């Protein structure tokens, strides 16, 4: 009897040992299964790890860097003891367009033109047309550009923000235009937002863009021979004069502008003779330069030139400046420029509502509400 009892005990003991070895009820096994795998991917804006600088990159990664935090919150990262935010995250929150220029290692950002140009490794940023000194240079990591936190204050006109130890917090705008850019007409009703022509405009006429059958055929079409002739630029040595209300033929300027209807828009476009494209400010700059008037490079910089005029006393050729609405923007800074044609029409290079040089009816709620100022550059 004693031997049988011992035998049964040994069998039970061995069975239990095998069961425990298999991990069937092990608490350690359960913990291992519930733990996430190590080295899981995190957003580039939340990791301070780096695989090293990527100088000479030819393609900027614009699909990475999205912050996984709350809207309007950008994680601050550390590289070599200095603090940065992802340029892509910053542009995404501010609804800025971006472009990477590999030839000169610059990262452009802005609304409809490049208001900011950050040079990787450089201690100077181009804001509008003005160079601004930096304490720390922008850097590139993993094909992404990072802006030093010490330089974030340069964008204070574009956003209301605060900086904590770990985050850049951008506050939403109290009120933002939500009217569509191609919304219904909003006829003048005696409001302060109404646009109107100056009755004393020396170039005032009754011609409208809808009457130009030789240029327009349904959608905008391109007159290739006229466009080719229009590529002629001011030659070296033939200096365009700074804005001083030079007398020029505004009808000729506008007619020349129509030759480019349908030319594609490109954010941060190089001069038209080399790129065959425009952004909003290179278009106005190019047309005025052909008339001998030198405008600055960006819409924001152009808005500081010329003579201010009322929205109710517009003349042909006046430059009209607008902000591009965004939820996390101050909605007070110039982001777009167009040329007034008279009769509530504006010709401009824009990514919307069409893509490229186009003519828009500004008697719409969108344009009336986003208008900031108008400037007269010549008589």
């Amino acid at each position: 009897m004693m031997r049988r009892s011992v035998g049964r005990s040994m069998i039970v003991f061995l069975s239990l040992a095998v069961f425990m070895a298999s991990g069937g009820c092990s608490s350690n096994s359960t913990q291992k299964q519930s733990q996430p795998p190590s080295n899981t991917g995190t957003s580039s804006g939340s990791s301070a790890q780096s695989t090293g600088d990527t100088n000479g990159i030819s393609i900027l990664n614009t699909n990475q860097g999205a912050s996984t935090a709350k809207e309007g919150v950008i994680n601050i990262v550390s590289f070599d003891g200095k603090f940065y935010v992802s340029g892509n995250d910053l542009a995404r929150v501010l609804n800025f367009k971006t472009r990477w220029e590999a030839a000169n290692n610059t990262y452009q950002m802005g609304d409809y033109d490049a208001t900011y140009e950050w040079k990787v490794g450089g201690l100077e940023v181009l804001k509008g047309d003005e160079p601004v000194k930096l304490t720390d240079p922008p850097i590139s990591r993993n094909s992404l550009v990072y802006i030093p936190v010490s330089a974030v204050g340069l964008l204070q006109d574009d956003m209301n923000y605060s900086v904590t130890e770990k985050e850049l917090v951008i506050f939403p705008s109290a009120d933002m235009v939500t009217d569509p850019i191609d919304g219904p007409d909003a006829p003048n009703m005696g409001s302060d937002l109404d646009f109107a022509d100056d009755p004393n405009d020396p170039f005032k006429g009754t011609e409208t863009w809808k009457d130009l059958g030789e240029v327009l055929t349904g959608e905008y079409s391109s007159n290739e021979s006229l466009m080719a002739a229009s590529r002629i630029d001011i030659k070296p040595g033939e200096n365009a004069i700074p804005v001083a209300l030079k007398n020029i033929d505004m009808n000729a300027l506008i007619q020349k502008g129509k030759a480019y209807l349908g030319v594609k828009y490109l954010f941060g476009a190089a001069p038209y003779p080399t790129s065959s494209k425009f952004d909003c400010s290179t278009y106005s700059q190019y047309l005025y330069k052909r008339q001998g008037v030198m405008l600055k490079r960006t819409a924001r910089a152009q808005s500081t030139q010329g003579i201010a005029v009322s929205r109710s006393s517009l003349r042909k050729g006046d430059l009209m400046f607008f902000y591009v609405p965004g939820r996390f923007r101050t909605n007070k800074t110039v982001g777009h420029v167009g040329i007034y044609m008279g009769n509530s029409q504006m010709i401009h290079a824009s990514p919307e509502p069409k893509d490229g040089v186009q003519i828009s009816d500004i008697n719409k709620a969108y344009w009336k509400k986003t208008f900031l100022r108008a400037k007269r550059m010549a008589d």
Side-chain angles (χ1 to χ4, degrees):
M1 290 292 293
M2 178 64 70
R3 290 181 179 177
R4 290 182 182 177
S5 177
V6 171
R8 291 194 185 97
S9 298
M10 288 296 294
I11 292 172
V12 170
F13 175 81
L14 289 173
S15 298
L16 182 59
V18 171
F19 178 75
M20 293 298 291
S22 68
C25 291
S26 170
S27 60
N28 288 336
S29 173
T30 303
Q31 290 174 1
K32 288 180 180 178
Q33 291 176 12
S34 64
Q35 289 174 347
S38 61
N39 299 322
T40 53
T42 57
S43 70
S44 297
S46 62
S47 172
Q49 297 179 352
S50 170
T51 58
D53 200 354
T54 53
N55 291 330
I57 56 177
S58 59
I59 298 177
L60 184 68
N61 189 337
T62 58
N63 295 320
Q64 296 182 16
S67 175
T68 58
K70 299 174 292 185
E71 277 190 294
V73 177
I74 301 173
N75 294 321
I76 293 175
V77 297
S78 174
F79 295 109
D80 302 322
K82 296 185 181 296
F83 300 99
Y84 302 86
V85 292
S86 161
N88 284 353
D89 282 352
L90 184 59
R92 187 175 292 108
V93 172
L94 295 178
N95 199 30
F96 275 164
K97 298 183 182 302
T98 62
R99 183 180 180 185
W100 170 249
E101 285 287 349
N104 51 16
N105 264 14
T106 59
Y107 179 70
Q108 301 174 328
M109 61 168 57
D111 287 307
Y112 289 173
D113 61 4
T115 304
Y116 301 94
E117 289 193 10
W118 310 88
K119 185 173 181 64
V120 170
L123 288 174
E124 196 171 81
V125 60
L126 198 60
K127 180 181 179 180
D129 284 37
E130 301 297 326
V132 180
K133 297 293 184 182
L134 298 175
T135 304
D136 303 302
I139 62 173
S140 64
R141 293 289 189 273
N142 303 323
S143 299
L144 293 171
V145 172
Y146 287 86
I147 308 299
V149 172
S150 59
V152 166
L154 291 174
L155 286 82
Q156 62 183 348
D157 294 335
D158 294 283
M159 63 184 185
N160 294 313
Y161 70 96
S162 68
V163 178
T164 69
E165 184 179 352
K166 297 182 179 180
E167 297 173 331
L168 169 63
V169 182
I170 304 175
F171 303 109
S173 176
D175 51 1
M176 188 188 84
V177 172
T178 57
D179 302 272
I181 194 171
D182 56 350
D185 291 346
N188 289 347
M189 303 292 290
S191 165
D192 291 339
L193 300 180
D194 290 347
F195 296 117
D197 290 359
D198 180 353
N200 298 316
D201 184 355
F203 297 102
K204 183 176 177 63
T206 58
E207 180 189 64
T208 67
W209 66 275
K210 295 177 182 178
D211 299 325
L212 298 174
E214 73 279 7
V215 176
L216 304 178
T217 55
E219 291 296 311
Y220 301 143
S221 62
S222 300
N223 185 323
E224 293 297 336
S225 60
L226 184 57
M227 287 172 60
S230 299
R231 292 173 190 260
I232 301 172
D233 205 348
I234 291 178
K235 297 179 178 62
E238 297 179 0
N239 295 324
I241 65 171
V243 171
L245 294 191
K246 176 185 176 183
N247 290 323
I248 65 175
D249 185 343
M250 288 301 181
N251 282 329
L253 181 146
I254 291 171
Q255 188 63 35
K256 184 63 66 178
K258 294 171 185 172
Y260 300 96
L261 287 170
V263 170
K264 292 300 183 182
Y265 165 88
L266 176 65
F267 175 79
Y272 178 74
T274 58
S275 70
S276 298
K277 293 180 176 63
F278 291 112
D279 63 20
C280 67
S281 54
T282 56
Y283 180 64
S284 55
Q285 182 189 52
Y286 184 71
L287 292 179
Y288 264 93
K289 187 176 180 181
R290 288 181 52 79
Q291 296 293 327
V293 177
M294 179 63 74
L295 299 183
K296 295 181 180 181
R297 166 61 182 86
T298 63
R300 199 169 296 188
Q302 290 176 12
S303 72
T304 66
Q305 297 179 269
I307 303 298
V309 295
S310 167
R311 67 164 76 206
S312 61
S313 299
L314 297 171
R315 293 185 177 183
K316 287 185 176 182
D318 287 346
L319 295 187
M320 305 187 72
F321 298 95
F322 305 86
Y323 70 82
V324 178
R327 184 182 173 199
F328 292 94
R329 299 285 300 282
T330 59
N331 295 320
K332 295 178 181 178
T333 54
V334 170
H336 185 51
V337 59
I339 301 174
Y340 189 61
M341 299 174 62
N343 298 307
S344 298
Q345 307 296 324
M346 176 179 71
I347 190 166
H348 58 132
S350 173
E352 54 182 340
K354 296 182 174 67
D355 177 16
V357 177
Q358 58 196 285
I359 297 173
S360 296
D361 185 342
I362 59 173
N363 266 340
K364 296 183 182 295
Y366 176 90
W367 296 113
K368 289 185 176 184
K369 293 178 182 179
T370 60
F371 174 80
L372 291 174
R373 63 186 69 99
K375 288 296 191 74
R376 186 159 298 151
M377 303 297 172
D379 281 332

